Amino acid sequence: MAKLAGFDGVEIHGANGYIIDQFLRDGSNQRTDPYGGSVENRMRLLNEILDAVISVWSSDRVGVRLTPENSFNSMSDSQPQQHFGYFIEQLSTRQLGYLHILQGDMMTKVSLLDYRALRDKFSGSYIANNGYDLQKAQTALDNGDASLVAFGLPFLANPDLVRRYKEQLPLNPVDFDTFYGGNEIRNMRISPVSSLRAIKRSDARKETQWNDESFPSYLTKLPRPAHAPCLHPCMQSR
Amino acid sequence: MSKKLFAAVQLGSLKLSNRMVMAPMTRNRASQQGLVSNMMIEHYQQRATAGLIIAESSPVSAQAVGYPNTPGMFNTEQAASWAPLIESVHAKGGHIFAQLQHCGRISHSSMQLDNALPVAPSAIKADGQAVTYTGMLDYQTLAP
Protein backbone atom coordinates (compact mmCIF):
# COMPACT_ATOMS: atom_id res chain seq x y z
CA MET A 1 0.00 0.00 0.00
CA ALA A 2 2.79 2.38 0.87
CA LYS A 3 4.32 1.94 -2.56
CA LEU A 4 0.93 2.48 -4.16
CA ALA A 5 0.53 5.71 -2.24
CA GLY A 6 3.83 7.01 -3.60
CA PHE A 7 6.07 7.00 -0.57
CA ASP A 8 9.83 7.09 -1.15
CA GLY A 9 10.33 4.21 1.24
CA VAL A 10 9.19 2.61 4.46
CA GLU A 11 10.40 2.46 8.03
CA ILE A 12 9.60 -0.69 9.95
CA HIS A 13 8.50 0.34 13.44
CA GLY A 14 10.44 -2.06 15.63
CA ALA A 15 10.48 0.35 18.55
CA ASN A 16 8.60 1.76 21.52
CA GLY A 17 6.92 -1.39 22.72
CA TYR A 18 4.79 -2.18 19.69
CA ILE A 19 4.53 -5.66 18.29
CA ILE A 20 7.99 -6.11 16.78
CA ASP A 21 9.60 -4.67 19.90
CA GLN A 22 7.32 -6.91 21.99
CA PHE A 23 8.94 -9.87 20.23
CA LEU A 24 12.51 -8.52 20.32
CA ARG A 25 12.73 -7.82 24.05
CA ASP A 26 12.49 -10.64 26.58
CA GLY A 27 10.44 -8.62 29.07
CA SER A 28 7.45 -9.06 26.78
CA ASN A 29 8.36 -12.19 24.85
CA GLN A 30 8.35 -15.40 26.84
CA ARG A 31 7.40 -17.75 24.06
CA THR A 32 8.81 -21.22 23.88
CA ASP A 33 8.19 -21.73 20.18
CA PRO A 34 10.54 -20.63 17.33
CA TYR A 35 9.54 -16.98 17.94
CA GLY A 36 10.82 -16.76 21.49
CA GLY A 37 13.67 -17.78 23.77
CA SER A 38 16.99 -17.07 22.04
CA VAL A 39 17.96 -13.80 20.35
CA GLU A 40 17.74 -15.53 17.00
CA ASN A 41 14.19 -16.63 17.71
CA ARG A 42 13.09 -13.28 19.08
CA MET A 43 14.29 -11.67 15.87
CA ARG A 44 12.49 -14.16 13.66
CA LEU A 45 9.33 -12.07 13.24
CA LEU A 46 11.32 -8.98 12.29
CA ASN A 47 13.34 -11.02 9.80
CA GLU A 48 10.21 -12.43 8.20
CA ILE A 49 8.71 -8.96 7.99
CA LEU A 50 11.89 -7.64 6.37
CA ASP A 51 11.92 -10.53 3.89
CA ALA A 52 8.39 -9.62 2.89
CA VAL A 53 8.96 -5.87 2.70
CA ILE A 54 12.21 -6.23 0.74
CA SER A 55 10.35 -8.32 -1.82
CA VAL A 56 8.33 -5.16 -2.60
CA TRP A 57 10.83 -2.37 -1.96
CA SER A 58 14.53 -2.42 -2.75
CA SER A 59 16.38 -2.76 0.54
CA ASP A 60 17.88 0.72 0.35
CA ARG A 61 14.33 2.11 0.61
CA VAL A 62 13.69 0.26 3.86
CA GLY A 63 14.65 1.54 7.31
CA VAL A 64 14.21 0.01 10.76
CA ARG A 65 13.54 1.89 14.01
CA LEU A 66 14.57 0.40 17.35
CA THR A 67 14.58 1.55 20.96
CA PRO A 68 16.96 -0.65 22.92
CA GLU A 69 16.31 0.81 26.34
CA ASN A 70 13.02 2.70 26.17
CA SER A 71 10.69 1.50 28.91
CA PHE A 72 7.66 3.23 27.35
CA ASN A 73 4.73 0.78 27.09
CA SER A 74 6.11 -1.38 29.91
CA MET A 75 9.08 -2.63 27.96
CA SER A 76 12.25 -4.16 29.34
CA ASP A 77 15.05 -6.47 28.33
CA SER A 78 17.51 -8.47 30.40
CA GLN A 79 20.62 -7.56 28.36
CA PRO A 80 19.87 -4.76 25.92
CA GLN A 81 23.49 -3.99 24.93
CA GLN A 82 24.16 -7.60 23.94
CA HIS A 83 20.78 -8.38 22.46
CA PHE A 84 20.54 -5.26 20.38
CA GLY A 85 24.16 -5.68 19.36
CA TYR A 86 23.08 -8.99 17.84
CA PHE A 87 19.95 -7.57 16.19
CA ILE A 88 21.92 -4.72 14.65
CA GLU A 89 24.69 -6.99 13.36
CA GLN A 90 22.03 -9.05 11.63
CA LEU A 91 20.31 -5.99 10.19
CA SER A 92 23.66 -4.82 8.87
CA THR A 93 23.75 -7.77 6.45
CA ARG A 94 20.65 -6.58 4.61
CA GLN A 95 21.85 -3.38 2.87
CA LEU A 96 19.04 -1.42 4.48
CA GLY A 97 18.47 2.26 3.79
CA TYR A 98 19.08 3.10 7.42
CA LEU A 99 18.96 2.12 11.08
CA HIS A 100 17.06 4.64 13.23
CA ILE A 101 17.60 4.45 16.97
CA LEU A 102 15.82 6.32 19.74
CA GLN A 103 18.65 6.56 22.21
CA GLY A 104 17.88 6.29 25.88
CA ASP A 105 14.73 5.82 27.90
CA MET A 106 11.96 8.34 27.25
CA MET A 107 10.36 7.63 30.64
CA THR A 108 13.34 7.87 32.98
CA LYS A 109 15.28 10.33 30.80
CA VAL A 110 18.30 8.09 31.30
CA SER A 111 20.66 6.72 28.66
CA LEU A 112 22.89 3.90 29.83
CA LEU A 113 23.84 2.01 26.70
CA ASP A 114 26.87 2.53 24.51
CA TYR A 115 25.16 3.72 21.36
CA ARG A 116 28.40 4.33 19.51
CA ALA A 117 29.17 0.62 19.93
CA LEU A 118 25.74 -0.23 18.49
CA ARG A 119 26.18 2.27 15.68
CA ASP A 120 29.53 0.75 14.76
CA LYS A 121 27.88 -2.63 14.21
CA PHE A 122 25.79 -1.18 11.41
CA SER A 123 27.43 -0.70 8.05
CA GLY A 124 24.84 1.69 6.61
CA SER A 125 23.35 5.06 7.54
CA TYR A 126 22.46 5.60 11.18
CA ILE A 127 19.79 8.06 12.27
CA ALA A 128 20.17 9.16 15.89
CA ASN A 129 17.13 10.39 17.80
CA ASN A 130 16.01 11.72 21.18
CA GLY A 131 16.61 15.13 22.61
CA TYR A 132 18.91 16.44 19.92
CA ASP A 133 19.33 20.15 19.32
CA LEU A 134 21.49 21.97 16.81
CA GLN A 135 24.66 21.75 18.88
CA LYS A 136 24.32 18.08 19.80
CA ALA A 137 23.41 17.19 16.24
CA GLN A 138 26.46 18.92 14.77
CA THR A 139 28.68 17.22 17.35
CA ALA A 140 27.19 13.81 16.59
CA LEU A 141 27.80 14.25 12.89
CA ASP A 142 31.34 15.53 13.41
CA ASN A 143 32.17 12.59 15.69
CA GLY A 144 30.69 10.08 13.29
CA ASP A 145 28.14 9.06 15.93
CA ALA A 146 25.40 9.41 13.33
CA SER A 147 24.88 9.95 9.61
CA LEU A 148 21.63 11.86 10.10
CA VAL A 149 19.78 13.22 13.11
CA ALA A 150 16.05 13.03 13.72
CA PHE A 151 14.19 15.78 15.54
CA GLY A 152 10.70 15.35 16.96
CA LEU A 153 9.45 18.06 19.30
CA PRO A 154 11.41 20.87 17.62
CA PHE A 155 9.79 20.00 14.29
CA LEU A 156 6.32 20.15 15.77
CA ALA A 157 6.88 23.64 17.06
CA ASN A 158 8.93 24.86 14.10
CA PRO A 159 7.86 23.79 10.61
CA ASP A 160 10.84 25.63 9.20
CA LEU A 161 13.30 24.07 11.66
CA VAL A 162 15.88 23.59 8.94
CA ARG A 163 15.98 27.30 8.22
CA ARG A 164 15.90 28.28 11.87
CA TYR A 165 18.87 26.11 12.67
CA LYS A 166 20.75 27.19 9.56
CA GLU A 167 20.23 30.90 10.23
CA GLN A 168 20.29 30.57 14.01
CA LEU A 169 16.82 32.03 14.40
CA PRO A 170 14.92 31.71 17.68
CA LEU A 171 12.73 28.64 18.10
CA ASN A 172 9.05 28.46 19.00
CA PRO A 173 8.31 26.81 22.35
CA VAL A 174 6.67 23.40 22.20
CA ASP A 175 2.96 23.49 22.93
CA PHE A 176 1.84 20.19 24.43
CA ASP A 177 -1.82 21.07 24.13
CA THR A 178 -1.60 20.88 20.37
CA PHE A 179 0.11 17.52 20.13
CA TYR A 180 -2.84 15.23 19.62
CA GLY A 181 -6.02 15.75 17.76
CA GLY A 182 -7.40 18.79 16.03
CA ASN A 183 -5.97 21.81 17.79
CA GLU A 184 -3.49 22.91 15.16
CA ILE A 185 -3.91 26.66 15.17
CA ARG A 186 -0.88 27.61 17.14
CA ASN A 187 1.41 25.36 15.12
CA MET A 188 0.44 26.86 11.79
CA ARG A 189 2.86 29.78 12.08
CA ILE A 190 5.75 29.52 9.67
CA SER A 191 8.49 31.72 11.05
CA PRO A 192 9.09 34.93 13.00
CA VAL A 193 10.51 36.79 10.04
CA SER A 194 8.29 36.00 7.09
CA SER A 195 4.57 36.59 6.95
CA LEU A 196 2.56 34.76 9.55
CA ARG A 197 -0.35 32.72 8.36
CA ALA A 198 -3.05 32.90 10.97
CA ILE A 199 -5.77 30.38 10.32
CA LYS A 200 -9.05 31.14 11.97
CA ARG A 201 -10.32 28.36 14.21
CA SER A 202 -13.46 27.93 12.14
CA ASP A 203 -11.47 27.61 8.89
CA ALA A 204 -9.31 24.91 10.38
CA ARG A 205 -12.32 22.89 11.40
CA LYS A 206 -13.86 23.23 7.94
CA GLU A 207 -10.68 22.01 6.32
CA THR A 208 -10.72 18.62 7.93
CA GLN A 209 -12.29 15.85 5.91
CA TRP A 210 -13.23 13.59 8.74
CA ASN A 211 -16.49 13.43 10.58
CA ASP A 212 -16.22 15.58 13.69
CA GLU A 213 -18.49 13.37 15.73
CA SER A 214 -16.04 10.49 15.55
CA PHE A 215 -13.20 12.54 16.90
CA PRO A 216 -12.59 11.87 20.57
CA SER A 217 -12.30 15.42 21.81
CA TYR A 218 -10.80 14.36 25.11
CA LEU A 219 -7.55 13.78 23.20
CA THR A 220 -6.89 17.51 23.05
CA LYS A 221 -7.23 17.73 26.80
CA LEU A 222 -5.03 14.80 27.79
CA PRO A 223 -2.52 15.59 30.49
CA ARG A 224 1.04 16.12 29.36
CA PRO A 225 2.41 12.77 28.15
CA ALA A 226 4.65 11.27 30.81
CA HIS A 227 7.31 10.48 28.26
CA ALA A 228 7.72 14.00 26.95
CA PRO A 229 11.34 15.04 27.52
CA CYS A 230 10.68 18.16 29.56
CA LEU A 231 14.28 19.24 29.49
CA HIS A 232 14.51 19.51 25.74
CA PRO A 233 16.21 22.77 24.86
CA CYS A 234 13.50 23.85 22.45
CA MET A 235 11.07 24.07 25.35
CA GLN A 236 13.10 26.62 27.14
CA SER A 237 13.41 29.11 24.31
CA ARG A 238 11.27 32.22 24.32
CA MET B 1 30.37 25.77 13.39
CA SER B 2 30.34 22.70 11.18
CA LYS B 3 27.73 22.74 8.45
CA LYS B 4 27.40 19.00 8.09
CA LEU B 5 23.80 19.02 9.29
CA PHE B 6 22.80 21.10 6.27
CA ALA B 7 24.85 19.20 3.72
CA ALA B 8 23.19 16.92 1.19
CA VAL B 9 23.51 13.22 1.82
CA GLN B 10 23.00 10.14 -0.27
CA LEU B 11 20.65 7.59 1.27
CA GLY B 12 20.86 4.61 -1.04
CA SER B 13 19.34 5.74 -4.29
CA LEU B 14 17.86 8.89 -2.75
CA LYS B 15 19.62 12.21 -2.54
CA LEU B 16 18.44 14.08 0.55
CA SER B 17 18.92 17.84 0.70
CA ASN B 18 20.22 17.81 4.27
CA ARG B 19 20.82 15.49 7.22
CA MET B 20 17.86 16.61 9.30
CA VAL B 21 15.13 14.04 9.68
CA MET B 22 11.65 14.77 10.92
CA ALA B 23 10.94 12.02 13.43
CA PRO B 24 7.69 10.03 13.22
CA MET B 25 5.07 11.51 15.55
CA THR B 26 1.52 10.28 15.93
CA ARG B 27 -0.95 13.13 16.05
CA ASN B 28 -4.35 11.45 15.80
CA ARG B 29 -5.69 13.68 13.04
CA ALA B 30 -6.80 11.05 10.55
CA SER B 31 -10.40 9.97 10.20
CA GLN B 32 -11.80 7.04 12.11
CA GLN B 33 -11.47 5.02 8.90
CA GLY B 34 -7.77 5.85 8.82
CA LEU B 35 -7.96 8.39 6.01
CA VAL B 36 -5.51 11.27 5.79
CA SER B 37 -7.00 14.67 6.65
CA ASN B 38 -6.34 18.11 5.15
CA MET B 39 -4.73 19.18 8.40
CA MET B 40 -2.18 16.38 7.99
CA ILE B 41 -1.37 17.46 4.44
CA GLU B 42 -0.77 20.98 5.70
CA HIS B 43 1.38 19.73 8.57
CA TYR B 44 3.75 17.66 6.45
CA GLN B 45 3.90 20.13 3.60
CA GLN B 46 5.02 22.84 6.00
CA ARG B 47 7.94 20.69 7.12
CA ALA B 48 9.03 19.46 3.72
CA THR B 49 12.39 21.24 3.96
CA ALA B 50 13.54 18.40 6.20
CA GLY B 51 16.00 16.16 4.37
CA LEU B 52 13.73 13.22 5.16
CA ILE B 53 10.32 13.03 6.76
CA ILE B 54 9.32 9.84 8.52
CA ALA B 55 5.56 9.94 8.65
CA GLU B 56 3.54 9.11 11.74
CA SER B 57 2.81 5.45 12.45
CA SER B 58 0.40 3.81 10.05
CA PRO B 59 -1.16 0.52 11.13
CA VAL B 60 -0.69 -2.15 8.48
CA SER B 61 -3.97 -3.95 9.16
CA ALA B 62 -7.16 -3.45 11.13
CA GLN B 63 -5.63 -5.62 13.85
CA ALA B 64 -2.56 -3.38 13.91
CA VAL B 65 -4.58 -0.40 15.09
CA GLY B 66 -3.91 0.77 18.63
CA TYR B 67 -4.85 4.44 18.79
CA PRO B 68 -7.75 6.54 17.57
CA ASN B 69 -7.54 8.49 14.35
CA THR B 70 -4.26 7.15 13.02
CA PRO B 71 -3.84 7.05 9.22
CA GLY B 72 -4.03 3.50 7.92
CA MET B 73 -1.95 1.65 5.37
CA PHE B 74 -4.12 -1.38 4.72
CA ASN B 75 -6.61 -0.57 2.01
CA THR B 76 -6.56 1.27 -1.29
CA GLU B 77 -8.77 4.06 0.00
CA GLN B 78 -6.23 4.85 2.68
CA ALA B 79 -3.35 4.63 0.20
CA ALA B 80 -5.19 7.06 -2.07
CA SER B 81 -5.71 9.45 0.84
CA TRP B 82 -1.94 9.59 1.39
CA ALA B 83 -1.18 10.45 -2.24
CA PRO B 84 -1.91 14.21 -2.08
CA LEU B 85 0.14 14.48 1.11
CA ILE B 86 3.11 12.79 -0.53
CA GLU B 87 2.75 14.89 -3.66
CA SER B 88 2.78 18.09 -1.64
CA VAL B 89 5.99 17.02 0.12
CA HIS B 90 7.62 16.03 -3.17
CA ALA B 91 6.54 19.31 -4.77
CA LYS B 92 8.67 21.10 -2.20
CA GLY B 93 11.67 18.90 -2.85
CA GLY B 94 11.20 16.77 0.23
CA HIS B 95 11.30 13.01 0.73
CA ILE B 96 8.99 10.96 2.90
CA PHE B 97 8.96 7.43 4.24
CA ALA B 98 5.93 5.68 5.69
CA GLN B 99 6.26 4.15 9.14
CA LEU B 100 4.67 0.72 9.19
CA GLN B 101 3.18 -0.08 12.55
CA HIS B 102 1.48 -2.91 14.36
CA CYS B 103 0.62 -2.06 17.94
CA GLY B 104 0.36 -5.59 19.28
CA ARG B 105 -0.71 -5.50 22.92
CA ILE B 106 -0.76 -1.69 22.98
CA SER B 107 -4.34 -1.61 21.82
CA HIS B 108 -7.78 -2.47 23.16
CA SER B 109 -10.60 -4.77 22.12
CA SER B 110 -12.77 -1.73 21.44
CA MET B 111 -10.28 -0.75 18.71
CA GLN B 112 -10.26 -4.21 17.14
CA LEU B 113 -12.58 -5.87 14.64
CA ASP B 114 -15.43 -7.70 16.39
CA ASN B 115 -14.01 -6.51 19.74
CA ALA B 116 -11.36 -9.21 19.58
CA LEU B 117 -8.52 -9.03 22.06
CA PRO B 118 -5.33 -7.53 20.61
CA VAL B 119 -2.44 -9.89 19.80
CA ALA B 120 1.05 -10.06 21.25
CA PRO B 121 3.91 -12.53 21.63
CA SER B 122 2.99 -13.46 25.21
CA ALA B 123 0.04 -12.89 27.51
CA ILE B 124 1.80 -10.18 29.49
CA LYS B 125 -0.34 -7.12 30.07
CA ALA B 126 1.17 -3.70 29.65
CA ASP B 127 0.90 -1.28 32.57
CA GLY B 128 -1.21 1.77 32.06
CA GLN B 129 -4.13 2.52 29.84
CA ALA B 130 -5.04 2.41 26.19
CA VAL B 131 -6.21 5.50 24.35
CA THR B 132 -9.59 4.63 22.86
CA TYR B 133 -12.50 6.43 21.27
CA THR B 134 -14.40 6.39 24.55
CA GLY B 135 -11.65 7.37 26.95
CA MET B 136 -8.60 5.90 28.63
CA LEU B 137 -9.17 2.22 29.34
CA ASP B 138 -6.93 -0.29 31.10
CA TYR B 139 -4.85 -2.54 28.90
CA GLN B 140 -6.15 -6.09 28.79
CA THR B 141 -4.47 -9.42 29.44
CA LEU B 142 -4.46 -11.28 26.18
CA ALA B 143 -5.13 -14.94 25.57
CA PRO B 144 -1.86 -16.91 25.33
Side-chain angles (χ1 to χ4, degrees):
Chain A
M1 287 298 150
K3 207 162 202 197
L4 192 66
F7 280 102
D8 296 305
V10 293
E11 176 178 277
I12 306 300
H13 194 344
N16 290 338
Y18 300 110
I19 207 167
I20 294 173
D21 198 21
Q22 290 162 27
F23 274 83
L24 290 177
R25 290 202 257 173
D26 55 26
S28 44
N29 181 352
Q30 279 156 26
R31 297 174 78 97
T32 50
D33 68 0
Y35 291 90
S38 62
V39 271
E40 295 85 359
N41 281 0
R42 297 206 306 279
M43 195 174 177
R44 192 178 304 280
L45 179 66
L46 175 57
N47 279 327
E48 290 178 3
I49 290 170
L50 283 170
D51 290 341
V53 172
I54 293 172
S55 71
V56 172
W57 292 90
S58 68
S59 65
D60 70 307
R61 297 298 182 103
V62 179
V64 175
R65 179 151 152 103
L66 300 175
T67 50
E69 63 179 318
N70 196 7
S71 61
F72 178 61
N73 282 331
S74 309
M75 292 303 289
S76 65
D77 188 85
S78 59
Q79 294 182 82
Q81 189 79 44
Q82 292 88 317
H83 294 160
F84 278 84
Y86 170 80
F87 299 143
I88 290 169
E89 273 167 3
Q90 294 300 303
L91 291 175
S92 192
T93 62
R94 286 192 182 257
Q95 322 296 324
L96 296 174
Y98 63 77
L99 174 68
H100 182 182
I101 300 277
L102 187 151
Q103 299 170 172
D105 187 339
M106 278 182 355
M107 309 302 285
T108 62
K109 318 283 194 295
V110 154
S111 179
L112 297 173
L113 300 185
D114 180 351
Y115 287 97
R116 183 59 199 248
L118 293 178
R119 187 259 180 282
D120 287 339
K121 290 183 188 283
F122 190 72
S123 56
S125 300
Y126 178 92
I127 304 180
N129 177 235
N130 196 15
Y132 279 89
D133 58 24
L134 176 59
Q135 200 71 49
K136 289 189 187 142
Q138 297 279 33
T139 305
L141 293 179
D142 288 341
N143 291 345
D145 293 336
S147 329
L148 299 100
V149 178
F151 303 89
L153 292 180
F155 255 119
L156 288 189
N158 303 276
D160 56 342
L161 187 69
V162 176
R163 180 184 170 196
R164 295 200 193 207
Y165 274 168
K166 217 172 188 172
E167 298 176 25
Q168 315 239 28
L169 296 170
L171 300 181
N172 289 330
V174 173
D175 184 350
F176 287 101
D177 290 340
T178 62
F179 272 16
Y180 302 114
N183 201 350
E184 173 72 339
I185 314 307
R186 279 162 279 177
N187 276 355
M188 286 304 210
R189 294 168 161 227
I190 303 297
S191 86
V193 294
S194 67
S195 58
L196 296 174
R197 287 176 60 229
I199 296 181
K200 291 201 297 280
R201 192 170 290 271
S202 57
D203 285 352
R205 296 296 275 175
K206 264 186 258 157
E207 277 184 34
T208 55
Q209 290 169 329
W210 36 265
N211 178 2
D212 277 356
E213 282 82 65
S214 80
F215 180 71
S217 60
Y218 80 89
L219 278 180
T220 58
K221 303 177 188 72
L222 278 178
R224 172 182 297 195
H227 59 269
C230 307
L231 299 177
H232 195 287
C234 77
M235 294 189 47
Q236 289 150 19
S237 64
R238 231 320 162 198
Chain B
M1 192 187 338
S2 153
K3 293 289 182 202
K4 263 197 191 120
L5 193 58
F6 312 113
V9 65
Q10 194 71 31
L11 192 77
S13 50
L14 286 175
K15 178 131 187 226
L16 308 182
S17 57
N18 58 61
R19 294 172 185 258
M20 288 177 62
V21 178
M22 176 176 165
M25 290 173 285
T26 292
R27 306 203 68 187
N28 313 101
R29 290 170 170 172
S31 77
Q32 198 169 7
Q33 293 75 36
L35 302 177
V36 168
S37 64
N38 282 340
M39 198 185 280
M40 287 169 63
I41 298 176
E42 182 74 43
H43 171 66
Y44 285 100
Q45 173 185 265
Q46 287 181 336
R47 292 156 175 80
T49 48
L52 175 67
I53 294 176
I54 301 167
E56 61 203 270
S57 278
S58 299
V60 295
S61 65
Q63 184 198 68
V65 173
Y67 298 102
N69 301 96
T70 49
M73 200 69 74
F74 55 92
N75 62 44
T76 48
E77 210 192 343
Q78 290 163 351
S81 75
W82 277 106
L85 188 156
I86 296 166
E87 274 161 34
S88 73
V89 168
H90 284 163
K92 299 210 164 177
H95 288 99
I96 181 166
F97 272 32
Q99 190 188 59
L100 303 183
Q101 159 78 301
H102 189 306
C103 291
R105 68 178 181 178
I106 303 301
S107 183
H108 192 272
S109 53
S110 66
M111 310 288 291
Q112 299 285 310
L113 292 175
D114 300 324
N115 288 311
L117 284 173
V119 296
S122 300
I124 305 170
K125 186 165 71 94
D127 297 329
Q129 297 187 305
V131 187
T132 75
Y133 283 104
T134 51
M136 304 294 284
L137 300 174
D138 289 343
Y139 286 118
Q140 298 148 310
T141 303
L142 314 172

